[in-house]
Amino acid sequence: MKESNILNAYANAKERYAALGVDTDKAIELLEKQQISLHCWQTDDVSGFENDSSLTGGIQATGNYPGRARNIDEVRADLEFVKTLLAGNHRVNIHEIYGDFGGKFVDRDQVGVEHFQSWIDWAKDNNFKLDFNSTSFSHPKSGDLSLANPDKEIRDFWIEHTKRCRRIADAMGKAQNDPCIMNIWVHDGQKDYTVNRKKYREILAESLDEILKEDLPGMKSCVEAKLFGIGLESYTVGSMDFYEGYCATRKVIYTLDTGHYEPTENVADKVSALLLYVPELMLHVSRPVRWDSDHVTVMNDMTLDFFKELVRSDALDRAHVGLDYFDASINRIGAYIIGTRATQKCILSALLEPLDTLRKLEAEGKGFQKLALLEEAKTLPFGAVYDYFNYKNGVPVGEEYIASIEKYEKEVTSKR
Ligand code: RNT
Ligand code: ZN
């Protein structure tokens, strides 16, 4: 895009927003600081490097677009390339099954910091911070119940795994001088009716209490609620109600995956309610299409509203923003950039809302004026601000990144 066009458009946009009391430079500054945790599992359809077992736990990546990352070097190469197309400094979110196991089988109850040292070094070299996830799925002991399993042997196996993961996250956080956010999502549920809803939830709460006992200052734990998984449609142990209560009473971070609610539910409305009771949020920004389909995040009403609610709650700094989708039907790097940029756009759009004016109008009971301004805000020259943000940070502006990804596909991913 022509430099003078970007600059002129920004100058006009800046003036337009200023007339409504919005400082675009300040919004850009905040967006530059906003880290987004890139989910490493977008590079390889949640395969990991443990062995070639198939994906279980009620989640599924559909499609077989060529070029998925097949090993640790390819995952890292893809992430390094992704970084060149994004403004800002971001994080990488790793699952336990992405450890550097050196070709050996390391069972989940045997994993240690040594299997992630090369990730820690790589992150440092590439100016990434790391987040982490225990992995309860795609394992012979996954079954329908892991941390909520009444069978003590199986439950203890997963408790040990999750405790070890917390120690790995602690080491990551200490090495990067910034807490590593570790997510615990377990798929536990039942395909058909269960007469033990309460029992499994009691066990899950007990297991989590045991896991979270250890004080590890380099990391923060979060727990992810969900509606259902494939093959686990009738009951999910870690439902929203379960984790809301758990996080509020234990003061643990609540992981809000935007795909984990009823399709007609207003996910944005949960933000302000949760933030009254839980310390922070971890976000998995996703796009559910009819169900928790994990389509690539785009700038749609749900995502726009979601970030507006965070900004209106003055809580951007109480949310850890991460992505969670896995679309194997299109270029995976392209999917990364679309989703990350869409998330940035939604955050920027929220930061550019003429909130003071809107709140004043509401306080004065000027309903028509408020609605009119909300409508007008939708077509303010927001794109000019986002273009300038990318230009200022030396990354492709607008659709320019498409050609970069095509080039990477031609030279790298198509040869896999
Ligand atoms: C599953 C959860 C979970 C996973 C990742 C791979 O429904 O969203 O976050 O997607 O752990
Ligand atoms: Zn998720």
Side-chain angles (χ1 to χ4, degrees):
M1 220 181 278
K2 229 166 106 190
E3 190 173 9
S4 59
N5 285 349
I6 299 170
L7 296 174
N8 288 337
Y10 180 64
N12 287 333
K14 186 174 161 151
E15 214 177 294
R16 183 79 180 87
Y17 277 103
L20 292 166
V22 177
D23 182 342
T24 50
D25 287 333
K26 200 172 147 223
I28 286 176
E29 206 181 296
L30 286 170
L31 189 61
E32 278 165 355
K33 284 195 209 126
Q34 182 62 56
Q35 302 179 29
I36 297 177
S37 202
L38 304 169
H39 55 317
C40 79
W41 52 96
Q42 167 58 31
T43 59
D44 75 338
D45 317 333
V46 213
S47 304
F49 319 126
E50 188 178 71
N51 51 33
D52 45 15
S53 72
S54 56
L55 182 58
T56 71
I59 52 177
Q60 201 170 26
T62 52
N64 57 355
Y65 196 84
R68 97 179 167 83
R70 295 161 300 179
N71 52 52
I72 209 161
D73 291 334
E74 290 179 353
V75 169
R76 288 176 186 162
D78 287 356
L79 285 163
E80 286 167 33
F81 175 63
V82 161
K83 193 179 169 69
T84 66
L85 302 179
L86 296 172
N89 280 320
H90 300 289
R91 307 174 73 90
V92 172
N93 202 2
I94 306 176
H95 248 286
E96 186 271 350
I97 48 173
Y98 289 78
D100 193 348
F101 303 122
K104 283 196 272 312
F105 175 69
V106 177
D107 210 349
R108 310 259 175 111
D109 63 343
Q110 299 299 318
V111 67
V113 180
E114 63 276 20
H115 304 115
F116 290 87
Q117 192 54 51
S118 73
W119 273 114
I120 293 172
D121 298 340
W122 171 85
K124 189 164 182 231
D125 290 346
N126 289 281
N127 195 21
F128 274 126
K129 298 223 159 87
L130 297 175
D131 292 319
F132 199 51
N133 299 259
S134 52
T135 309
S136 71
F137 51 85
S138 305
H139 185 277
K141 289 195 171 74
S142 297
D144 290 347
L145 297 166
S146 62
L147 289 178
N149 204 313
D151 180 332
K152 192 171 178 314
E153 206 184 304
I154 294 182
R155 183 169 74 250
D156 285 348
F157 175 86
W158 291 113
I159 291 176
E160 178 63 23
H161 167 71
T162 319
K163 282 184 173 177
R164 283 170 175 260
C165 284
R166 287 185 80 239
R167 289 177 206 136
I168 295 166
D170 182 56
M172 288 175 172
K174 283 179 178 148
Q176 66 198 19
N177 239 320
D178 186 63
C180 168
I181 312 301
M182 190 189 114
N183 188 44
I184 303 175
W185 167 64
V186 293
H187 56 279
D188 297 36
Q190 294 288 300
K191 180 182 172 78
D192 221 322
Y193 301 125
T194 169
V195 291
N196 285 311
R197 286 179 182 262
K198 180 157 177 269
K199 175 177 170 179
Y200 301 135
R201 290 190 170 129
E202 272 167 359
I203 298 175
L204 179 56
E206 258 173 45
S207 298
L208 290 170
D209 285 347
E210 166 68 26
I211 289 162
L212 298 176
K213 240 174 25 200
E214 194 173 352
D215 191 27
L216 296 165
M219 58 87 67
K220 291 183 180 183
S221 303
C222 46
V223 286
E224 183 173 3
K226 186 169 178 174
L227 187 62
F228 80 98
I230 306 168
L232 301 164
E233 291 87 353
S234 297
Y235 169 69
T236 300
V237 186
S239 60
M240 171 160 194
D241 314 69
F242 173 86
Y243 278 125
E244 248 182 336
Y246 190 84
C247 291
T249 51
R250 271 65 164 187
K251 301 293 166 221
V252 170
I253 303 177
Y254 181 94
T255 302
L256 195 161
D257 183 311
T258 57
H260 286 191
Y261 301 88
E262 297 283 0
T264 55
E265 225 172 330
N266 181 357
V267 180
D269 189 42
K270 301 183 185 306
V271 171
S272 54
L274 281 166
L275 282 171
L276 280 178
Y277 304 108
V278 307
E280 293 176 350
L281 296 176
M282 170 73 210
L283 309 181
H284 278 187
V285 187
S286 191
R287 175 166 53 112
V289 175
R290 297 189 185 277
W291 64 290
D292 181 27
S293 59
D294 285 304
H295 278 66
V296 180
T297 297
V298 295
M299 181 175 164
N300 56 9
D301 284 347
M302 181 201 74
T303 320
L304 282 163
D305 288 346
F306 188 80
F307 284 103
K308 283 208 176 81
E309 278 308 310
L310 258 182
V311 170
R312 289 170 183 170
S313 302
D314 198 19
L316 255 191
D317 60 351
R318 287 178 63 199
H320 306 275
V321 182
L323 305 169
D324 186 13
Y325 51 79
F326 20 97
D327 187 340
S329 73
I330 59 172
N331 181 303
R332 291 171 185 79
I333 313 290
Y336 247 138
I337 302 303
I338 292 172
T340 316
R341 285 187 170 221
T343 303
Q344 285 183 323
K345 287 187 211 166
C346 292
I347 297 170
L348 181 62
S349 161
L351 291 168
L352 291 174
E353 189 172 54
L355 195 52
D356 292 344
T357 314
L358 287 164
R359 287 204 163 130
K360 190 162 170 279
L361 293 170
E362 184 163 317
E364 290 165 357
K366 293 185 173 164
F368 146 67
Q369 291 85 339
K370 181 182 71 179
L371 187 59
L373 188 53
L374 280 169
E375 272 305 286
E376 288 310 309
K378 290 179 184 168
T379 49
L380 286 173
F382 153 82
V385 183
Y386 189 62
D387 284 347
Y388 175 71
F389 162 77
N390 284 318
Y391 162 83
K392 179 172 177 271
N393 285 281
V395 298
V397 175
E399 69 281 6
E400 281 168 10
Y401 71 81
I402 298 173
S404 315
I405 290 169
E406 284 172 345
K407 185 164 176 272
Y408 188 76
E409 172 164 40
K410 192 159 169 257
E411 290 169 3
V412 183
T413 52
S414 68
K415 302 208 169 116
R416 289 177 182 163

